[in-house]
Amino acid sequence: VSGSVNASIVRVDTGIFTSQAHSLLERQGVFALSDENVAAVLPATVADRLDHILPPGETAKTWEQLGRLLEAMDAAGLDRDGHVLAIGGGVVTDIGGLAASLHRRGIAWTAMPTSLVGQVDAALGGKTAVNLGGGKNTVGTFHPPAAIVVDPTLLATLPDRHLRAGMAEVLKTALVSGTDLTEAVIDLPLSAMARAEPAAVDIITRCLATKDELVTADLTDQGPRRLLNLGHTFGHAFEALALPDLVHGEAVGLGLLCAARLGAEQPDAEPGLEGRLREALSRWGLPTTWEHDPQAVLDEMRRDKKRRAGTLRLVVPLAPGRVEIQSDPGRQRLAAALAAVGHSVSTS
Ligand SMILES: NC(=O)c1ccc[n+]([C@@H]2O[C@H](COP(=O)([O-])OP(=O)(O)OC[C@H]3O[C@@H](n4cnc5c(N)ncnc54)[C@H](O)[C@@H]3O)[C@@H](O)[C@H]2O)c1
Ligand SMILES: [Zn+2]
């Protein structure tokens, strides 16, 4: 199945998790990390071997938790040949990857993503982070894992809310990729993903291939990789303001709708795109509206821009496979785009 993904480091296949985890854990100097929820559903033979367990969720993606993790790695005597095995969602792989990049100035790590967001997105591409100063991913490094093992059957225990949230990230990647993948994703029932049916495994693989291609061309996010921020400039602002009421993927889904509304201003945009996205998101049970103060969201988007010392860049979908970057559309157009998820909008 891993055919088109960078086969040397990414493996996607159903049922490979336990044997892959065992073979890594048999080696010397492997430090295994997970979170409480994931540890509770892992096979005992893997769970018993964990060296560190984070509290679950975005609120654990902190400097304090990173510090505790680094202390534990040091106390375990992990040397420069050590290896971090991160088993969990995007939070575990983001913080585990960051710890691996800092310990002894950087050791190798392996990602075994267990959530849908993790499997299609977070584990691949080398971005590691914790949140600091109220912003998202404000402290981090680029430190790609040596290997990524994706077993979609792990999604069976993922809580529904997080499965749904992952679909927003899947849809985002599909929009960047093109019509074929977008159609396949829009047609996919949530249950097929939960059961790791072949159509779902195929979609995960193609999302990874899409991201892999963009990341290979642009690891440090100066060019084409930026397209993957589709939905994320709005989304990160929603997420930062709503924590912990919105999870990452939910915020990204809302962000996609705002970005589509911005795109609809272009004469060559595909008519009805926003409505199609809204329909898919709501069929999967994702929020398509969110009560918010537009001024607060716009302020948060500016703050985020300042923290990153950059210009505000919006990734805008015109049609599946036609996604462009607009630099600072201005407050008025951004406010108009926010109306896409405001409470009194129609679904046209
Ligand atoms: N580095 C990147 O390129 C990148 C890309 C996308 C997202 N992210 C980051 O990833 C995070 C979101 O990832 P996420 O949605 O996986 O969050 P998460 O890691 O918090 O996982 C979601 C929840 O599901 C639980 N869980 C995960 N897998 C499970 C399983 N198989 N069975 C039962 N429970 C399970 C977790 O304990 C958690 O409560 C955000 O912090 C985001 O910034 C990073
Ligand atoms: Zn994301």
Side-chain angles (χ1 to χ4, degrees):
V1 197
S2 55
S4 53
V5 193
N6 189 345
S8 59
I9 71 154
V10 187
R11 267 197 75 184
V12 188
D13 214 342
T14 52
I16 56 175
F17 172 75
T18 307
S19 63
Q20 290 285 309
H22 283 173
S23 71
L24 199 55
L25 289 167
E26 272 162 19
R27 284 166 37 183
Q28 288 293 309
V30 173
F31 186 96
L33 166 73
S34 190
D35 77 19
E36 283 165 20
N37 294 342
V38 177
V41 297
L42 289 177
T45 51
V46 177
D48 291 347
R49 297 285 310 276
L50 293 172
D51 298 285
H52 193 77
I53 299 177
L54 294 164
E58 187 70 26
T59 49
K61 219 171 126 176
T62 61
W63 185 250
E64 288 74 23
Q65 289 296 338
L66 174 69
R68 280 185 216 172
L69 171 57
L70 287 167
E71 301 263 6
M73 287 162 61
D74 188 57
L78 210 60
D79 63 19
R80 296 203 48 191
D81 300 324
H83 194 106
V84 173
L85 168 58
I87 305 171
V91 169
V92 172
T93 52
D94 271 17
I95 200 169
L98 180 53
S101 77
L102 295 172
H103 183 78
R104 307 288 185 268
R105 299 199 181 84
I107 62 173
W109 69 293
T110 291
M112 298 198 181
T114 62
S115 68
L116 186 52
V117 170
Q119 297 198 344
V120 296
D121 199 342
L124 179 70
K127 281 190 188 175
T128 77
V130 292
N131 304 326
L132 192 82
K136 276 277 299 169
N137 302 332
T138 33
V139 172
T141 57
F142 289 101
H143 189 56
I148 304 169
V149 175
V150 176
D151 182 346
T153 64
L154 292 173
L155 301 176
T157 56
L158 186 66
D160 243 25
R161 182 176 184 188
H162 291 286
L163 191 70
R164 298 173 201 282
M167 290 306 292
E169 208 81 76
V170 169
L171 182 59
K172 170 208 80 175
T173 311
L175 282 167
V176 172
S177 165
T179 312
D180 277 8
L181 187 53
T182 302
E183 297 303 327
V185 167
I186 285 179
D187 287 344
L188 193 83
L190 208 58
S191 57
M193 192 55 92
R195 293 193 214 110
E197 288 174 10
V201 177
D202 184 57
I203 282 171
I204 291 173
T205 307
R206 289 162 74 189
C207 285
L208 284 167
T210 301
K211 181 163 184 181
D212 187 51
E213 198 179 310
L214 292 166
V215 168
T216 303
D218 173 28
L219 175 67
T220 56
D221 216 357
Q222 307 296 308
R225 181 174 183 171
R226 287 183 175 157
L227 296 178
L228 292 169
N229 288 332
L230 175 59
H232 280 64
T233 308
F234 290 107
H236 278 156
F238 294 147
E239 193 181 1
L241 289 171
L243 264 176
D245 295 340
L246 284 175
V247 301
H248 179 75
E250 291 169 343
V252 170
L254 294 166
L256 285 179
L257 297 176
C258 298
R261 180 138 323 175
L262 262 186
E265 295 172 2
Q266 303 295 105
D268 56 339
E270 180 182 293
L273 181 65
E274 181 193 326
R276 291 191 69 206
L277 302 183
R278 187 182 300 279
E279 204 271 322
L281 295 173
S282 62
R283 193 158 25 83
W284 296 322
L286 280 160
T288 57
T289 59
W290 179 58
E291 217 176 306
H292 64 275
D293 169 5
Q295 297 308 321
V297 177
L298 295 175
D299 290 345
E300 178 56 34
M301 287 169 81
R302 298 273 159 212
R303 249 198 307 280
D304 200 48
K305 182 205 81 175
K306 257 198 212 152
R307 280 190 205 105
R308 288 157 206 274
T311 24
L312 193 57
R313 282 192 199 80
L314 269 293
V315 187
V316 169
L318 305 180
R322 277 199 293 132
V323 174
E324 62 173 40
I325 296 181
Q326 294 185 3
S327 58
D328 208 333
R331 219 170 156 96
Q332 210 167 359
R333 289 181 59 215
L334 290 174
L338 284 175
V341 300
H343 258 296
S344 54
V345 290
S346 69
T347 57
S348 60

